[in-house]
Structures are given as C-alpha cells and as structure tokens.
Amino acid sequence: MTETETNAYDVVVLGAGPAGENVADRTRAAGLTTAVVESELVGGECSYWACMPSKALLRPVIARADARRVPGLSQAVQGPLDASAVLAHRDQHTSHWKDDGQVGWLDSVGADLHRGHGRLTAPRTVTVTGPDGTERVLTARHAVAVCTGSRAALPPLPGLEDVEPWTSREATSAKSVPGRLIVVGGGVVATEMAAVWQALGSEVTLLVRGKGLLARMEPFAGELVTEALTEAGADVRTGTSVTSVTRENGTVVAVTGAGDRIEADEILFATGRAPRTDDIGLETVGLEPGSWLPVDDSLRVEGHDWLYAVGDVNHRALLTHQGKYQARIAGAAIAARATGETLLERPWGAHAATADRAAVPQVVFTDPEAAAVGLSLAEAEQAGHRVRAVDVDLSTVAGAGLYADGYKGRARMVVDVEDEILRGVTLVGPGVGELVHSATIAVAGQVPVSRLWHAVPSYPTISEVWLRLLEAYRDS
C-alpha cells in the first residue's frame, strides 16, 4: 500500500476560482507558503460558466442594440446576429474551457496547485483525492480558506432531472441556439440569458414567480428591462409559477400554476444558488455540510480561528468582484494574524469587508443595462436610515441624446438626509454599466453631497446625470 503523502503549508486554499486565486495571491505576496486545491478548472465558475462567457455572449447583443439607435448606422445593422460567430467569440473568452493560462498565473505567484477533490478531515487539515484516486494530506499552519463557491439550485419538481434542464452552466456554454427556450426566474441570470438567446434567434418565454424582474433592485429597473425584452419579442409572464416539467419526444413541456402548457426545446432554471459545501468535510470541524458559512468582517468563520470562507460560500454578496474584494481582505487578515500584527477591523479598515454591507456594485448586462450600488430606497428605509430619493429621466441629459436616438433610462440617488451622504445609486439605460464606478466611489467614500457639487461632469456625457441628480435633490 502506498503511504499517503503529507505536505505542510502556511495556508491552504480550497477552490481556485477568483476568490481562491486572490486569497493565494495576497498570502503569497505576504510571504506565506500557499497551496490551492481545485477539482475542476482553475479560474472557477466565473471564467468558464458565468461572468466571462455570459458577457461575451451579451456584448454583440448590446452593441447591435446601441447601433440600431444611431442615425446613419441603424439601417446597416437590422439583420440577425451571426450566431456561430457569437458562440465562437464566447469560446475564445473561455479559453475553450482550458485552464492553462490560469495555471500559469498561479505558478507565477508561487502557489502550489493540487488537482483533485479536497475535504477537511481535521482542523487545519485538507485531504486531496486526486483524479487517479491517490490521496495527499495538506496541513495549514495558519489558515484554511474555503473558496468553493456556489452552484445552481433547482426547485424540487418531480422528475426534473429526467428533463435535463439547463442551469447557468448550460445556458452559457450551449453549442447551438434552441428554437424555443423557456427561462424560469427573474433575476440576473434569467434576464441576461433571456436577452442573449432571444437576440440569437430563440423564441423565449420568461416565467417569473414574483411581480417583476430584478426584484433586488429599484422597481423601475425591472420595469424598463421587461419593456425592452417584450419589445424584442420575448414573452414575459410575471406572477407565474411552474408546477410540472416533462420532456416528451425531445420537447420540453412546462405547466404553470394557471394550467397553461408551454412547449420548448430547452428550459433554463435560474432560480437561485446553493453553496458548494455539501462534500468538503465540514462535519469534521463541527459545521453543517451543505450550509452557507457565516463569517465576520475579516472573513473568518464564526467559532473557528483558523478557518475562512471567501466568496459566494459565505452568502454575503454573490458576485465575482465582491469575492475578489473579500479575498484581498481575507488575505491581508490571514497575513496580519500570522505575523502577530494588530488588525484594523473597524468599518472600512484594511481587514474589514465593509463594502459587502454598504457599497456592493452590480451591473446587469441586458438592454438597457441596469447598474446599482449600495442600498435601494426600500433597503435604506428598512435599515432605519432617514433618506430621500431623487429621480432623473436620463433622456434629459445631453450625453444620452447623443448616445442614442430615443434613449430611455432613469437614475435614482438615495441620500441620507442626516449625514448628507449617498446610501445608494441606481442607473438604468444604455451604457450605464460604465457609470456605476463613479457611484461606487461616492457611496464607499461617503462623499458629502456638498463636495459632489465640485465633482464636475464632462460635457456632453451621460455622466452629467450627476449634476441633474444634485439639482433634483437641492430643489426637492
């Protein structure tokens, strides 16, 4: 019998997605020896089945939509998209589902990659079962960081597995365009994938259990996206649940709560996420398998001074950029504790992921784009802040009119009337995804409204909406 090999490191990172990669980058930069364990592709969900492929698919959709609103250009882009070229563009941005480049990056920072399935088997200990069945034990002197991410959560419909439904993975990696597609859900994945496949030629039916799309954003975001999807040809049905799904002779049949029978070639369920913690040995350290992992602001798991949970797995903010932000905080905290430094855990300190609560930015890459940071009006009120919301029709901004004929959009600024700082900003309209970082700086920096008057937007850009928002607040 072959003796199990044991390797000791300062830090062991479980999962090589964006969060895990960035934890490794920060701990290596601090001089800590670091091992990274990955059972699939280095680069994780974002690189191969989420952010990168979805945005590669969406970019031609949005570019064509924008071009159709520009005089002198609109007539040249009335034809259909070249679906084969779009899918090839997507394949290029996923590196054809090969991770050589990402592995090379890990090598460049000096982290050791261990391929295989990693499980906690004791405190500070991860056992890796390799593809060939061999086992290797990795021990951590200072920290183990769980960065295993999340997976699509399917509803408990009888026989659903037999239907072979799409999840976000299949929706972003499909090799051909289905003639008819049912999308179940109303969040980011549902709206973005409905926009993609409708534009590529699918007949899309979007079934939304709630009152509207993008329920976590200001209501007008979902309303404007719904209007645009409907104009593009999608059938958007709100207040609609799915009670059964079958596949008959290759055709998917979904029955709604109202008894409607809808047929399609494929069905996508975009109905939430679940943590990938069911088989990583949580039970060996007193935690519940399959659970989200609650953490403090330094990303350390409650009750475990050596265990960190970074990215989706802690359920703080299920976004790639937030996972990478958390990784920078966690890596700094691990390094500080390893060297006995005093941690700066106050809000906005170097070892506190404060932005997860106060300044999370997000862009939904539909047409129109929807972008937001911080709290919505409802969230700010629920949190007990005294706030005032001011809205501006984006079409009144000179830059918007130049960007596109018939520009439709809206902006909202939620102002804390006691502190005179912004609690949240929402922007909906073509091109607004590139505006959200200015809003993020204002919210995260707690820039007073009085100082924002001195941040002069260039004319004529869509960014002049900031001046219009300030004027609306002054005059309200």
Side-chain angles (χ1 to χ4, degrees):
M1 180 180 293
T2 303
E3 185 175 347
T4 302
E5 182 180 348
T6 300
N7 299 88
Y9 292 90
D10 292 323
V11 180
V12 176
V13 180
L14 195 53
E21 288 179 320
N22 278 271
V23 170
D25 182 43
R26 291 297 85 211
T27 55
R28 284 297 301 128
L32 302 178
T33 58
T34 302
V36 179
V37 181
E38 178 53 56
S39 61
E40 292 187 295
L41 296 175
V42 175
E45 199 80 10
C46 171
S47 296
Y48 307 103
W49 300 287
C51 315
M52 293 306 292
S54 66
K55 278 44 182 189
L57 289 167
L58 282 157
R59 179 59 194 147
V61 176
I62 295 171
R64 183 182 65 165
D66 283 346
R68 284 179 168 179
R69 302 184 188 103
V70 178
L73 181 59
S74 60
Q75 290 303 313
V77 290
Q78 289 303 315
L81 290 168
D82 182 339
S84 296
V86 173
L87 296 179
H89 174 66
R90 180 270 320 270
D91 294 351
Q92 178 184 356
H93 281 276
T94 59
S95 302
H96 299 273
W97 290 273
K98 295 179 181 179
D99 63 1
D100 298 13
Q102 303 266 21
V103 171
W105 180 84
L106 268 185
D107 288 342
S108 74
V109 301
D112 290 349
L113 173 62
H114 296 267
R115 298 269 193 185
H117 181 72
R119 300 184 82 256
L120 290 162
T121 47
R124 304 174 191 267
T125 305
V126 173
T127 298
V128 183
T129 303
D132 59 357
T134 59
E135 288 190 348
R136 179 173 297 175
V137 176
L138 310 179
T139 60
R141 299 181 188 91
H142 298 295
V144 173
V146 177
C147 307
T148 49
S150 64
R151 57 176 171 78
L154 292 171
L157 289 174
L160 183 58
E161 288 186 5
D162 298 332
V163 175
E164 297 183 337
W166 280 8
T167 66
S168 53
R169 283 199 169 194
E170 290 77 19
T172 56
S173 63
K175 299 300 183 184
S176 60
V177 181
R180 299 166 298 174
L181 174 67
I182 298 170
V183 179
V184 183
V188 177
V189 172
T191 53
E192 289 189 345
M193 290 301 96
V196 163
W197 294 108
Q198 178 69 39
L200 290 177
S202 292
E203 180 184 312
V204 172
T205 303
L206 184 55
L207 306 179
V208 187
R209 184 171 58 182
K211 296 179 180 179
L213 301 179
L214 304 176
R216 295 186 177 181
M217 293 182 123
E218 298 285 8
F220 63 82
E223 292 166 4
L224 287 167
V225 171
T226 299
E227 180 183 335
L229 280 172
T230 302
E231 289 178 356
D235 180 4
V236 182
R237 307 186 190 184
T238 59
T240 302
S241 60
V242 176
T243 57
S244 69
V245 181
T246 55
R247 191 180 285 272
E248 304 171 6
N249 299 319
T251 298
V252 174
V253 179
V255 178
T256 71
D260 295 330
R261 176 185 168 98
I262 306 169
E263 296 186 356
D265 299 289
E266 301 292 349
I267 185 167
L268 162 63
F269 278 89
T271 49
R273 306 290 295 178
R276 296 181 64 180
T277 60
D278 50 314
D279 189 23
I280 61 169
L282 291 183
E283 67 280 2
T284 68
V285 294
L287 296 168
E288 182 67 28
S291 65
W292 303 101
L293 297 176
V295 295
D296 63 21
D297 275 359
S298 71
L299 290 311
R300 189 165 58 174
V301 176
E302 295 175 1
H304 296 73
D305 63 3
W306 56 273
L307 185 62
Y308 293 73
V310 185
D312 283 11
V313 74
N314 61 39
H315 208 236
R316 286 167 69 104
L318 278 67
L319 294 159
T320 293
H321 46 275
Q322 290 303 124
K324 293 164 76 172
Y325 161 72
Q326 292 174 12
R328 295 190 292 271
I329 299 295
I334 291 168
R337 289 184 173 119
T339 57
E341 295 178 21
T342 300
L343 266 68
L344 301 175
E345 296 183 87
R346 64 181 183 276
W348 307 110
H351 308 111
T354 310
D356 284 346
R357 296 190 307 273
V360 174
Q362 182 173 21
V363 180
V364 184
F365 291 86
T366 44
D367 173 43
E369 292 176 345
V373 62
L375 305 178
S376 68
L377 174 60
E379 288 170 339
E381 290 175 339
Q382 289 167 6
H385 300 297
R386 288 187 58 231
V387 291
R388 182 189 309 160
V390 292
D391 291 9
V392 167
D393 181 347
L394 267 169
S395 69
T396 63
V397 177
L402 291 168
Y403 189 93
D405 274 3
Y407 190 105
K408 290 183 180 179
R410 187 172 170 185
R412 170 171 289 179
M413 183 172 73
V414 179
V415 183
D416 188 310
V417 297
E418 292 182 346
D419 297 331
E420 288 278 294
I421 60 173
L422 308 189
R423 293 293 178 185
V425 177
T426 299
L427 304 144
V428 183
V432 299
E434 294 298 336
L435 303 184
V436 75
H437 192 58
S438 58
T440 303
I441 292 170
V443 173
Q446 298 182 329
V447 182
V449 169
S450 59
R451 178 59 63 86
L452 285 174
W453 279 102
H454 298 281
V456 183
S458 298
Y459 180 86
T461 64
I462 304 176
S463 290
E464 272 202 302
V465 68
W466 281 103
L467 181 55
R468 302 286 90 83
L469 286 166
L470 291 169
E471 290 170 341
Y473 178 69
R474 176 196 63 194
D475 298 338
S476 64

